Amino acid sequence: DNKRKFLLDIYQWSHYILDKDAIDKELVAIQRDLKHSDRTLQLDQLSGYFSDFDIFFKSCRIKILYGGIKFVCIGFRELLNKYGYKRKSPLILQYIKHCLIFYHLEVTIYGRGSCDIETVDLDEILMFRVIS
């Protein structure tokens, strides 16, 4: 029973990581349908406060290790906007640093060298690589 639950959880999160945008659109439709039946869906129950960042970094690691690419690039502002943030708060930066350590990722500024995520300008392009 535990093995079955474990495999189903892996399948669910793998599917979510690979098709996050489509699933997020479905969530909006589900919320709209629940609203008509006087029910609500608590999004906080589905995930942690910054769990989307966690999914992004987990996805980076999987893409690099198993997708045949050497790094993942994204603009810092784009990364924050993707998950609904406009500014880099100390709490967000702390969580990003935690994810970098947990997933063994290094961040560099595109075309330059390694950097500290706390001092990076919002308009910079970030490159994430797996630390071996």
Side-chain angles (χ1 to χ4, degrees):
D1 189 47
N2 284 341
K3 183 178 179 182
R4 182 176 185 279
K5 184 180 179 334
F6 175 72
L7 292 174
L8 288 173
D9 286 346
I10 290 174
Y11 176 74
Q12 175 191 356
W13 283 106
S14 298
H15 182 236
Y16 183 77
I17 289 170
L18 294 174
D19 203 11
K20 182 183 180 326
D21 294 334
I23 292 171
D24 286 348
K25 288 177 187 173
E26 289 175 8
L27 183 60
V28 172
I30 291 169
Q31 287 176 318
R32 188 176 51 243
D33 291 343
L34 288 173
K35 185 177 180 182
H36 291 296
S37 62
D38 293 330
R39 296 182 183 181
T40 59
L41 179 64
Q42 301 262 338
L43 294 179
D44 295 343
Q45 293 174 343
L46 296 177
S47 60
Y49 193 64
F50 293 123
S51 67
D52 285 342
F53 282 116
D54 184 63
I55 291 171
F56 171 78
F57 292 110
K58 186 185 303 182
S59 174
C60 283
R61 183 169 174 81
I62 290 170
K63 287 176 185 175
I64 294 167
L65 291 177
Y66 305 108
I69 60 174
K70 295 183 182 190
F71 54 86
V72 173
C73 288
I74 189 168
F76 197 10
R77 186 181 308 276
E78 180 185 352
L79 175 62
L80 293 174
N81 286 341
K82 187 173 185 174
Y83 299 109
Y85 299 98
K86 295 187 187 277
R87 292 184 291 275
K88 51 180 189 172
S89 72
L91 195 57
I92 290 173
L93 293 173
Q94 179 183 358
Y95 191 77
I96 289 173
K97 286 178 101 169
H98 166 76
C99 288
L100 292 173
I101 293 167
F102 184 82
Y103 291 110
H104 303 283
L105 294 172
E106 171 190 40
V107 62
T108 59
I109 296 175
Y110 187 78
R112 292 189 232 154
S114 61
C115 63
D116 179 12
I117 196 73
E118 292 181 354
T119 61
V120 173
D121 186 57
L122 283 176
D123 295 320
E124 296 288 352
I125 303 294
L126 304 176
M127 287 178 51
F128 298 97
R129 300 174 199 227
V130 172
I131 299 169
S132 12

